[in-house]
């Protein structure tokens, strides 16, 4: 357990837990969306309270040694549970250290009724560092289920200028999604083959094609890094959506901050909220519990059509 001062002398605990002992991942919310994390540390889904359905399914990463085609197995690691984010630290079998962070953009609401809020945006950042003594060539495949919880098919495309998959519902709803990578991938693909993201054989270069109209769209980014001893690399994925069509989601994506700025904005909001009206008792455990109760409420607070509310979590 790591304690951080928040408010006048109060501490909120940031919990460090073995990734072999985590029964369930965090729920991290923002005014317009909520994400759920799996017990493995992968992103399970992004839910829209306004639409009442999952907009994105899982986002899962797999790493391979490029030259040999051997899958790189994560060694036992740790989760760091913070009020505004969940982090995962582990080492691959080739001595590459991986530091992942998942969070939702959630800045301080503005406006007379606090109804001017950030757009829905989930971030998944990845930091790689070669702690070994030999140069490694790493191939990373990030698979994103673009279809969400809708029964209807989606139309998918890839925008080279944004490094992003775009998926738009074909029939009743007007939901449009963007799943973007912070760097240009080596290759990409949209497939309806559910087995492809967890293939036993090294995938190699992808087709650079999309399926067009499909009922089970999975977008895959293929990234490569050559890391000499001590070298590092960093990249991130951004997931956002609009209930008003492709033009609207493109406009939303254009104004989003990068992952570093979004994290800083979100952390400032949590720090400011937790610093207000702090409970001070003779028991440090009670004081920390009250701060975590506030953090958990802030995670689940939503702005719906009827006003501010909470998700079931």
């Amino acid at each position: 357990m790591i304690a951080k001062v928040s408010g006048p002398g109060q501490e909120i605990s940031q919990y460090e837990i073995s990734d072999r002992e985590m029964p369930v991942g965090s729920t991290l919310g923002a005014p317009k969306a909520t994400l759920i994390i799996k017990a493995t540390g992968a992103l399970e889904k992004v839910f829209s309270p306004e639409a009442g359905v999952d907009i994105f399914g899982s986002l899962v990463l797999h790493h391979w040694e490029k030259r040999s085609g051997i899958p790189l197995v994560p060694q036992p690691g740790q989760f760091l549970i913070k009020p505004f984010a969940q982090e995962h630290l582990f080492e691959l079998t080739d001595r590459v250290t991986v530091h992942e962070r998942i969070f939702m953009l959630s800045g301080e609401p503005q406006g007379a009724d606090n109804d001017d809020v950030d757009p829905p945006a989930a971030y998944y950042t990845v930091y790689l560092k070669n702690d070994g003594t030999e140069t490694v060539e790493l191939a990373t495949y990030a698979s994103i289920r673009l279809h969400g919880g809708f029964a209807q098919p989606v139309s998918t495309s890839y925008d080279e200028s944004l490094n992003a998959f775009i998926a738009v519902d074909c029939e009743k709803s007007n939901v449009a999604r963007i799943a973007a990578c912070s760097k240009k991938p080596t290759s990409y693909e949209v497939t309806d083959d559910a087995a492809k993201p967890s293939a036993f054989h090294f995938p190699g270069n992808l087709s650079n094609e999309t399926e067009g109209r499909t009922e089970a769209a999975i977008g895959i980014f293929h990234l490569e890094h050559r890391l000499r001893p001590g070298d590092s690399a960093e990249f991130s994925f951004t997931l956002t959506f609009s209930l008003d069509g492709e033009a609207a989601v493109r406009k939303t994506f254009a104004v989003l901050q990068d992952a570093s700025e979004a994290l800083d904005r979100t952390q400032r909001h949590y720090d400011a909220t937790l610093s207000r009206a702090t409970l001070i008792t003779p028991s440090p455990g009670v004081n920390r519990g009250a701060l975590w109760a506030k953090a958990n409420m802030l995670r689940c607070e939503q702005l719906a059509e009827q006003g501010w509310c909470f998700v079931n979590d």
Side-chain angles (χ1 to χ4, degrees):
M1 182 177 72
I2 304 169
K4 175 186 176 182
V5 174
S6 182
Q10 302 305 297
E11 295 179 338
I12 184 163
S13 304
Q14 300 177 359
Y15 293 95
E16 200 171 280
I17 304 170
S18 167
D19 62 6
R20 298 305 194 260
E21 298 176 357
M22 190 79 150
V24 65
S26 298
T27 296
L28 298 171
K32 291 295 184 181
T34 297
L35 70 81
I36 308 293
I37 302 175
K38 294 183 178 184
T40 61
L43 193 156
E44 181 176 348
K45 61 184 178 181
V46 177
F47 175 80
S48 166
E50 191 173 353
V53 71
D54 300 337
I55 304 296
F56 291 97
S58 60
L59 167 53
V60 181
L61 272 61
H62 293 283
H63 305 281
W64 300 72
E65 208 287 318
K66 179 187 173 183
R67 288 172 293 187
S68 65
I70 296 174
L72 298 173
V73 180
Q75 303 304 294
Q78 293 178 317
F79 289 120
L80 184 60
I81 312 300
K82 299 183 177 182
F84 53 87
Q86 179 172 307
E87 301 180 14
H88 191 192
L89 293 85
F90 58 93
E91 189 176 85
L92 299 172
T93 45
D94 63 352
R95 297 288 312 280
V96 170
T97 298
V98 182
H99 184 176
E100 301 177 337
R101 179 186 292 116
I102 299 176
F103 67 98
M104 289 288 298
L105 173 64
S106 184
E108 188 82 26
Q110 304 294 322
D113 298 319
N114 285 334
D115 57 358
D116 183 5
V117 298
D118 288 328
Y123 292 84
Y124 191 135
T125 68
V126 183
Y127 176 79
L128 306 172
K129 186 171 186 282
N130 183 3
D131 289 322
T133 58
E134 298 182 2
T135 297
V136 299
E137 293 187 28
L138 195 70
T140 300
Y141 295 82
S143 305
I144 308 162
R145 293 187 179 271
L146 300 168
H147 192 257
F150 289 88
Q152 61 211 49
V154 296
S155 175
T156 59
S157 60
Y158 185 80
D159 190 318
E160 298 271 2
S161 66
L162 302 179
N163 301 329
F165 296 114
I166 299 174
V168 182
D169 286 355
C170 296
E171 296 173 6
K172 296 179 182 178
S173 72
N174 202 24
V175 175
R177 314 156 180 80
I178 286 182
C181 185
S182 63
K183 64 174 291 184
K184 183 178 178 63
T186 302
S187 63
Y188 64 86
E189 185 174 319
V190 174
T191 178
D192 59 4
D193 181 359
K196 192 157 192 173
S198 55
F200 289 107
H201 303 289
F202 179 55
N205 283 341
L206 303 176
S207 67
N208 291 341
E209 296 179 356
T210 65
E211 287 284 331
R213 180 187 172 104
T214 176
E215 295 184 358
I218 301 171
I220 307 176
F221 290 107
H222 163 211
L223 306 172
E224 291 185 357
H225 295 94
R226 187 176 188 273
L227 302 176
R228 293 174 295 183
D231 281 356
S232 61
E234 190 170 2
F235 55 93
S236 63
F237 303 98
T238 303
L239 310 181
T240 189
F241 64 88
S242 172
L243 306 184
D244 298 316
E246 183 175 342
V249 77
R250 285 179 175 274
K251 185 177 179 180
T252 295
F253 183 77
V255 301
L256 286 179
Q257 299 170 307
D258 65 25
S260 177
E261 293 171 331
L263 178 65
D264 183 61
R265 176 175 173 81
T266 300
Q267 185 170 357
R268 288 200 312 269
H269 176 36
Y270 272 77
D271 287 347
T273 301
L274 297 179
S275 296
R276 292 196 292 265
T278 55
L279 175 68
I280 302 175
T281 77
S283 169
V286 170
N287 299 340
R288 285 195 294 267
L291 284 171
W292 258 109
K294 290 175 66 177
N296 287 332
M297 286 189 288
L298 187 56
R299 284 179 169 198
C300 297
E301 198 175 27
Q302 305 276 297
L303 181 58
E305 221 176 294
Q306 298 83 359
W308 287 95
C309 60
F310 293 96
V311 298
N312 290 340
D313 289 3

